[in-house]
Amino acid sequence: MDKSSLVASAQRQMSRALSAWCTSDNDMAVLHAGIGTEHLLKALLAARHPSLLVDGRDFSSLLHAAGQSGYASSPDTKVKTIGALEAFKRAAAFVAMPIKERDLDPLLTARNGVAHLGAHEDAVTRGALAVAVSVSDAVLTDLQEDVPAFWGSWTDTRLNLDQMQRAARIAAEQALSRASVEDAVGPQLDNWEDGLLEPTVENFRSEGLQAARIAVAVKVRCAKKLYRVLYYGKTPEEIAKADMVEPEADRSEYGECIYRLAKCPVCGADGDVSASLDKHRRRAKKGSRSRRGREFPDYFDCLTCGLELDNRYELEVLGMAEPSRDGWFMD
């Protein structure tokens, strides 16, 4: 319930939202925009007093917020906070918001649709993001935060989402075009995204892999800019401490998966790779134990620079996985 950690979390979430918007990943755009907006609204309340964040019906939560944790019957890890809509209502008591309460509904409905049902209406994505940006700017101004530093590479285009998307697509297509030309004359990609996007062994086996390469070009560029904004001049110890502002996610809703740590190709921090399991186990040879099901990594998340890879093809583009008979993890 600390203002600084909530602002830092909101910054990562909003950067992920706009990066997803640039690659037409509308589900992730509204999901992260909704989370980022909620965290900023709660940062505004926390700046007044932490008790403004908690559900008043839970006395233990109020005790923690009031600095009386010794009298609480439950640990601070179980503090019950208000939802995004209530956070907006409370924040509006302190700040003149640029929108009405009803105008927030498209953003929250879209976010909840993705979080709970895995889908939302694509047509509302642009409007939902515009609401998130508008509310965020109002809150940042009230908190006297450095607005350009918060938005980073999105500062100049955040108010024109269509222009932002067009510019990102053009940049990604140009990067892909340069890579294709260089592939024809040999691998000379030392200066393209600092060599992170090296050509795969097999050249674009499918449209899915080609689309992934374009998406990754945008995501890497955005993650590198965000990393510079957040951590320029800081020591490794300060960076490691900053990475701990988000609690570990509840993974129970994602079904049967495994999770492994992997080095982020952008910033080198430990990120989280999740993989779905193939339940069909391979038949073992006679006299040997049966082999467990295969592993297919499908998501990577780095809390330090905000890089998110959303499918196995994007993981392959950055050399974090490779296709094989037994699964996609690199040894």
Side-chain angles (χ1 to χ4, degrees):
M1 295 185 287
D2 172 74
K3 185 205 81 169
S4 298
S5 63
L6 284 165
V7 170
S9 176
Q11 183 177 35
R12 286 197 299 273
Q13 296 293 341
M14 295 304 293
S15 178
R16 292 169 182 175
L18 296 179
S19 177
W21 165 250
C22 288
T23 59
S24 298
D25 189 353
N26 291 340
D27 281 1
M28 292 299 102
V30 295
L31 177 65
H32 290 300
I35 296 173
T37 302
E38 179 176 346
H39 286 185
L40 270 182
L41 289 168
K42 289 182 175 179
L44 184 150
L45 296 174
R48 266 71 180 185
H49 195 278
S51 63
L52 295 173
L53 295 179
V54 302
D55 185 341
R57 297 169 297 181
D58 188 83
F59 187 55
S60 288
S61 297
L62 283 172
L63 288 171
H64 286 298
Q68 301 296 322
S69 297
Y71 298 97
S73 60
S74 60
D76 57 4
T77 54
K78 294 186 177 182
V79 167
K80 295 181 180 180
T81 62
I82 56 176
L85 182 58
E86 181 62 26
F88 179 84
K89 293 178 182 178
R90 295 186 184 185
F94 298 99
V95 178
M97 289 294 179
I99 63 170
K100 301 296 183 182
E101 181 183 322
R102 63 177 179 274
D103 299 324
L104 193 67
D105 182 70
L107 173 62
L108 300 186
T109 298
R111 183 197 69 170
N112 293 339
V114 175
H116 302 299
L117 298 175
H120 84 287
E121 186 179 352
D122 280 345
V124 307
T125 303
R126 186 190 178 283
L129 288 179
V131 166
V133 170
S134 178
V135 172
S136 296
D137 280 350
V139 173
L140 291 169
T141 300
D142 177 76
L143 293 175
Q144 298 183 345
E145 292 287 330
D146 186 335
V147 175
F150 179 89
W151 291 111
S153 60
W154 310 115
T155 300
D156 296 331
T157 56
R158 73 185 189 283
L159 300 179
N160 190 334
L161 295 170
D162 292 332
Q163 178 187 345
M164 176 193 294
Q165 196 173 64
R166 286 194 299 269
R169 286 175 176 172
I170 291 172
E173 289 169 1
Q174 289 174 343
L176 181 63
S177 177
R178 289 197 300 271
S180 298
V181 171
E182 290 168 349
D183 281 347
V185 298
Q188 301 173 4
L189 297 180
D190 291 342
N191 296 322
W192 187 53
E193 290 300 335
D194 292 345
L196 288 172
L197 301 181
E198 297 180 358
T200 54
V201 176
E202 300 178 39
N203 190 27
F204 299 140
R205 294 187 312 279
S206 66
E207 292 183 1
L209 189 58
Q210 184 168 0
R213 186 157 183 163
I214 294 175
V216 168
V218 174
K219 291 181 178 184
V220 166
R221 184 177 293 109
C222 294
K224 291 170 68 176
K225 288 182 178 180
L226 177 61
Y227 183 79
R228 286 196 293 268
V229 169
L230 290 177
Y231 300 112
Y232 179 77
K234 292 189 177 181
T235 66
E237 292 75 17
E238 290 173 326
I239 294 175
K241 183 178 180 180
D243 291 341
M244 299 176 66
V245 300
E246 288 186 286
E248 185 173 349
D250 178 7
R251 298 163 168 165
S252 60
E253 65 179 289
Y254 300 115
E256 188 176 3
C257 296
I258 62 169
Y259 300 87
R260 295 186 179 182
L261 288 178
K263 292 293 183 183
C264 176
V266 170
C267 66
D270 285 334
D272 200 14
V273 175
S274 68
S276 56
L277 296 180
D278 181 355
K279 296 182 180 179
H280 300 287
R281 298 177 180 273
R282 295 185 60 195
R283 182 177 299 175
K285 294 181 179 179
K286 188 176 182 180
S288 63
R289 296 182 178 179
S290 64
R291 299 182 64 180
R292 62 176 176 77
R294 295 173 293 175
E295 304 166 357
F296 296 93
D298 46 29
Y299 185 77
F300 172 78
D301 185 23
C302 177
L303 295 180
T304 301
C305 67
L307 178 67
E308 282 187 336
L309 305 176
D310 296 309
N311 57 60
R312 61 191 64 172
Y313 293 112
E314 293 185 7
L315 285 160
E316 184 185 354
V317 167
L318 289 182
M320 302 177 72
E322 65 180 7
S324 72
R325 184 177 61 184
D326 297 322
W328 281 62
F329 269 125
M330 293 284 282
D331 293 330

